[in-house]
């Protein structure tokens, strides 16, 4: 496919886009999906193992062990981010590692590390919560509306 002289720029752009789409390699979607599925499952398996550990160590119920489990997963992902391993794992695992709470902890830690040269308060403290602020606002707003719907549903019973 060649672009002839005298053709309009819009035609040239569309021809160019078609040429690029034909030459561009197709992403290995099935392989990526399997990797994400397996790695997400491994994160869940690790979470269950940590939950069992906290249950036995602290002699608490499965439900009560959820909070220290989440804190442990956040700590581990922040530690792996700080040591430079999380990004390498995430490149291989894809969304299976990035979507759960580990991905959020990675984003917070990476943001803090990026701005550490600006100081503790304005760098790490200020920049780290730019990302978290949006997540917290969305979570609080969603919880508010879910609470309203739940309250209305109780009143209608």
């Amino acid at each position: 496919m060649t672009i002839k002289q005298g053709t309009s720029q819009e035609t040239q752009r569309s021809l160019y886009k078609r040429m690029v789409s034909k030459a561009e390699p197709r992403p290995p979607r099935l392989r990526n999906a399997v990797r994400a599925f397996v790695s997400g499952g491994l994160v869940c398996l690790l979470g269950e193992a940590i939950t069992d550990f906290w249950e036995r160590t602290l002699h608490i119920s499965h439900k009560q062990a959820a909070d220290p489990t989440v804190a442990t997963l956040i700590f581990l992902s922040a530690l792996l981010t700080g040591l430079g391993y999380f990004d390498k794992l995430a490149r291989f695992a894809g969304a299976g590692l990035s979507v759960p709470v580990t991905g959020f902890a990675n984003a917070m830690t990476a943001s803090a590390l990026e701005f550490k040269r600006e100081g503790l308060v304005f760098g790490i403290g200020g920049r780290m919560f730019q990302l978290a602020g949006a997540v917290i606002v969305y979570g609080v707003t969603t919880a508010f509306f879910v609470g309203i719907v739940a309250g209305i549903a109780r009143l209608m019973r």
Side-chain angles (χ1 to χ4, degrees):
M1 194 180 309
T2 58
I3 299 175
K4 298 177 185 176
Q5 286 186 338
T7 57
S8 70
Q9 277 188 335
E10 196 167 310
T11 307
Q12 287 179 359
R13 284 186 191 138
S14 66
L15 286 171
Y16 179 74
K17 284 181 183 179
R18 277 192 272 156
M19 289 170 55
V20 167
S21 68
K22 284 182 180 179
E24 189 176 41
R26 302 287 177 228
R29 288 191 177 104
L30 180 62
R31 185 184 73 196
N32 291 347
V34 169
R35 280 184 178 177
F37 179 78
V38 170
S39 61
L42 289 174
V43 169
C44 293
L45 181 67
L46 175 65
E48 284 299 318
I50 293 170
T51 301
D52 290 344
F53 168 78
W54 288 123
E55 279 181 70
R56 289 186 180 101
T57 304
L58 300 176
H59 306 292
I60 56 178
S61 70
H62 190 77
K63 188 173 183 179
Q64 290 172 321
D67 293 337
T69 299
V70 171
T72 304
L73 286 172
I74 288 170
F75 171 76
L76 288 174
S77 62
L79 180 66
L80 289 173
T81 300
L83 295 174
Y85 294 118
F86 192 92
D87 288 339
K88 293 173 186 172
L89 289 171
R91 261 186 242 116
F92 175 79
L97 191 61
S98 301
V99 173
V101 70
T102 55
F104 182 67
N106 168 56
M108 292 278 296
T109 307
S111 180
L113 289 173
E114 185 177 343
F115 293 103
K116 71 180 177 183
R117 66 183 167 278
E118 293 181 22
L120 287 175
V121 175
F122 294 113
I124 294 174
R127 303 296 180 140
M128 179 171 64
F129 291 106
Q130 283 180 331
L131 171 70
V135 173
I136 291 169
V137 167
Y138 178 75
V140 168
T141 305
T142 303
F144 175 75
F145 286 114
V146 167
I148 289 175
V149 170
I152 291 171
R154 270 197 191 139
L155 289 174
M156 297 180 102
R157 279 194 239 168

